[in-house]
């Protein structure tokens, strides 16, 4: 079965077409500036040329139509016609408490995704738009929703509750949800394979470190705690998000700047994190370069990030009463050896030792711990699209 995986943003649409008999990528691409003007980059993996041009994309429906046109075209295509695509899997950011696993989309599911809009006002509407656009263009092809939050629904109350009046949980659903669940799920399953043990017997800490970052404690294959919270702003300092801060800062900043809550919250999301501290960039490559050239604030931002990751790893080792493996993934986790080494410097006490030689090497799934490290340390490139396609296949074949 061939499965189209869609990750829809408010003005963008990322896609991959996978052949699930062999789990190989047939084509991938990105529609951008939907509703503004429009651009499509389509990358077939069969040797045909890349299409990378401005085209009119007034809505997501035209974007999906353009993607299908390229996937089936003689010049850029990878399939003969649309009937070869057996199903569509959608990344959906928020499933609230309703969805602890992926689901086949029907009217009831669409209503439930819409009910979660107040919890993810920027993301869920875009995800709904993507699903509706596929329906408009592809008719009755089965569609599946895979939620970023679902993996974390196994967290116990002590991990997901905030110590605020209980009615805010019961009436307004204020609790920790966590995000990046598809990534944490993928890398933890892969880590169990690499360790040659059933995941049920393992305590793992997964560090998804990208532009957005979160850490997850995975005990026996289940998420038992995670650093993002009610929204993805919580936890670690990130590219542009502040991570955990004292909540009183919000009111203090409003009082002392004359800005309103919305403006300050926007700054905490978009102008904070390592960008805010360094004043240089949200990109760790730029920060390393600036730090090497003597920029103290860039160096401080990098130190703050490594320190926050290490503290969270320590906390999750305590939460699980031990840890067998630590996983690094996503843009920074997979590529930034210096940040991994900086985090490793805090972890010797728990028997987790990074091997400098292995850490410096690039590659795919790999161990980077020393031979005498009692905790295994792994770098595992994440593959959320593959998880979405696997879930989609499984649900459609049922
Ligand atoms: P992601 O959100 O997973 O796509 O990660 C994107 C981030 O990964 C970028 O903003 C960079 O900070 C970081 N990144 C990507 N490649 C490298 C690299 N070679 N060295 C350091 N950081 C990198």
């Amino acid at each position: 079965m061939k499965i189209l995986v869609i990750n829809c943003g408010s003005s963008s649409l990322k896609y991959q077409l996978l052949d699930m008999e062999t789990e190989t990528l047939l084509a991938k691409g990105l529609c951008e500036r939907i509703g503004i003007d429009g651009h499509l980059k389509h990358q077939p993996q069969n040797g045909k040329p890349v299409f990378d041009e401005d085209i009119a994309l007034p809505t997501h429906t035209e974007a999906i139509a353009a993607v299908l046109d390229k996937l089936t075209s003689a010049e850029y295509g990878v399939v003969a016609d649309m009937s070869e695509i057996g199903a569509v899997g959608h990344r959906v950011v928020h499933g609230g408490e309703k969805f602890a696993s992926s689901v086949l989309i029907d009217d009831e599911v669409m209503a439930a995704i819409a009910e979660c809009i107040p919890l993810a006002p920027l993301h869920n509407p875009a995800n709904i738009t993507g699903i509706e656009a596929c329906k408009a263009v592809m008719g009755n092809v089965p569609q599946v929703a895979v939620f970023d939050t679902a993996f974390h629904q196994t967290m116990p109350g002590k991990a997901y509750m905030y110590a605020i009046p209980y009615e805010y949980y019961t009436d307004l659903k204020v609790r920790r949800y966590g995000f990046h669940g598809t990534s944490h799920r993928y890398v933890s399953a892969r880590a169990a394979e690499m360790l040659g043990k059933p995941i049920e017997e393992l305590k793992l800490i997964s560090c998804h470190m990208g532009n957005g970052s979160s850490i997850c404690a995975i005990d026996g294959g289940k998420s038992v705690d995670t650093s993002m919270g009610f929204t993805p702003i919580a936890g670690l300092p990130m590219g542009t998000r502040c991570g955990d801060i004292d909540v009183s800062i919000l009111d203090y900043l409003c009082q002392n700047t004359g800005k309103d809550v919305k403006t300050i919250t926007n700054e905490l999301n978009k102008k904070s994190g390592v960008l805010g501290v360094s004043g240089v960039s949200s990109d760790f490559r730029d920060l390393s370069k600036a730090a090497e050239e003597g920029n103290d604030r860039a160096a401080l931002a990098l130190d703050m990030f490594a320190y926050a990751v290490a503290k969270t790893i320590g906390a999750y080792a305590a939460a699980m009463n031990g840890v067998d493996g630590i996983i690094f993934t996503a843009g920074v986790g997979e590529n930034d050896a210096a940040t991994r080494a900086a985090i490793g410097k805090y972890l010797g006490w728990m028997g987790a030792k990074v091997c400098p030689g292995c850490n410096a090497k690039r590659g795919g799934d790999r161990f980077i711990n020393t031979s005498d490290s009692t905790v295994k340390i792994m770098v595992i490139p994440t593959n959320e699209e593959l998880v979405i396609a696997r879930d989609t296949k499984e649900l459609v074949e049922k």
Side-chain angles (χ1 to χ4, degrees):
M1 184 190 291
K2 295 184 178 92
I3 289 174
L4 182 61
V5 175
I6 301 277
N7 181 354
C8 207
S10 56
S11 66
S12 69
L13 186 155
K14 256 193 247 170
Y15 64 93
Q16 286 195 1
L17 184 68
L18 292 112
D19 183 342
M20 292 310 287
E21 306 313 320
T22 50
E23 294 197 333
T24 46
L25 179 68
L26 299 174
K28 62 178 179 178
L30 171 66
C31 298
E32 286 179 293
R33 300 178 60 82
I34 301 168
I36 306 162
D37 36 33
H39 186 92
L40 168 62
K41 182 166 185 184
H42 168 75
Q43 299 170 270
Q45 305 293 301
N46 58 357
K48 287 191 178 172
V50 171
F51 177 90
D52 189 6
E53 286 179 30
D54 291 341
I55 55 168
L57 299 174
T59 73
H60 287 76
T61 306
E62 284 85 1
I64 289 283
V67 168
L68 288 168
D69 178 57
K70 288 292 163 287
L71 287 171
T72 55
S73 83
E75 198 177 353
Y76 305 100
V78 291
V79 289
D81 64 71
M82 209 169 81
S83 65
E84 283 190 47
I85 301 172
V88 185
H90 293 268
R91 175 190 181 212
V92 179
V93 167
H94 219 305
E97 289 189 323
K98 280 219 158 72
F99 298 105
S101 59
S102 305
V103 282
L104 256 177
I105 298 172
D106 58 16
D107 291 346
E108 213 175 297
V109 168
M110 284 299 269
I113 298 172
E115 259 176 53
C116 296
I117 287 175
L119 300 173
L122 297 179
H123 293 100
N124 274 32
N127 301 148
I128 290 171
T129 306
I131 296 165
E132 283 170 345
C134 283
K135 211 171 167 187
V137 180
M138 302 179 78
N140 288 332
V141 174
Q143 303 197 55
V144 166
V146 179
F147 300 93
D148 264 23
T149 49
F151 183 62
H152 301 299
Q153 280 297 303
T154 47
M155 282 190 292
K158 65 185 175 188
Y160 73 69
M161 285 300 290
Y162 291 119
I164 59 175
Y166 198 78
E167 305 76 66
Y168 290 139
Y169 168 59
T170 49
D171 299 352
L172 293 170
K173 309 220 174 336
V174 177
R175 52 159 285 178
R176 181 188 306 280
Y177 290 99
F179 300 87
H180 294 142
T182 315
S183 176
H184 292 303
R185 196 176 126 206
Y186 173 79
V187 296
S188 57
R190 192 63 205 104
E193 284 173 10
M194 288 169 70
L195 293 166
K197 278 199 176 164
I199 198 162
E200 292 74 19
E201 292 173 16
L202 289 169
K203 297 173 194 290
L204 299 168
I205 297 175
S206 154
C207 307
H208 179 112
M209 311 190 305
N211 197 26
S213 298
S214 72
I215 304 192
C216 184
I218 302 156
D219 197 346
K222 295 195 161 90
S223 167
V224 293
D225 208 341
T226 192
S227 59
M228 281 181 171
F230 178 61
T231 73
I233 201 176
L236 307 166
M238 309 181 206
T240 64
R241 287 172 238 164
C242 60
D244 289 345
I245 58 167
D246 183 333
V247 289
S248 301
I249 292 171
L250 190 54
D251 182 55
Y252 179 85
L253 289 178
C254 290
Q255 298 288 342
N256 287 281
T257 61
K259 295 175 186 171
D260 60 12
V261 173
K262 262 207 154 104
T263 307
I264 299 288
T265 304
N266 191 47
E267 287 181 1
L268 296 176
N269 266 303
K270 303 215 169 119
K271 295 185 177 172
S272 300
V274 293
L275 168 69
V277 173
S278 68
V280 171
S281 172
S282 62
D283 192 307
F284 279 57
R285 287 163 289 200
D286 300 335
L287 294 176
S288 303
K289 188 163 173 281
E292 271 164 30
E293 290 165 1
N295 185 316
D296 290 341
R297 275 172 56 188
L300 174 64
L302 290 169
D303 280 351
M304 286 171 69
F305 181 79
Y307 179 64
V309 171
K311 277 205 297 187
T312 311
I313 290 173
Y316 289 174
M320 294 191 290
N321 198 11
V323 54
D324 301 302
I326 296 168
I327 308 155
F328 292 112
T329 192
V332 177
E334 292 165 26
N335 298 302
D336 190 342
T339 294
R340 290 193 304 257
I343 296 163
K345 283 201 177 128
Y346 293 98
L347 304 180
W349 65 274
M350 61 194 275
K353 296 185 201 161
V354 172
C355 155
C358 319
N359 185 41
K361 282 189 200 136
R362 301 185 72 83
D365 299 347
R366 57 205 189 270
F367 288 98
I368 58 161
N369 53 275
T370 58
S371 54
D372 65 339
S373 178
T374 52
V375 176
K376 298 282 189 265
I377 310 174
M378 290 154 275
V379 176
I380 304 178
T382 195
N383 196 341
E384 292 161 279
E385 290 79 9
L386 184 57
V387 175
I388 295 172
R390 281 178 181 164
D391 280 10
T392 303
K393 179 173 184 269
E394 195 186 319
L395 282 165
V396 169
E397 283 178 348
K398 248 185 201 171

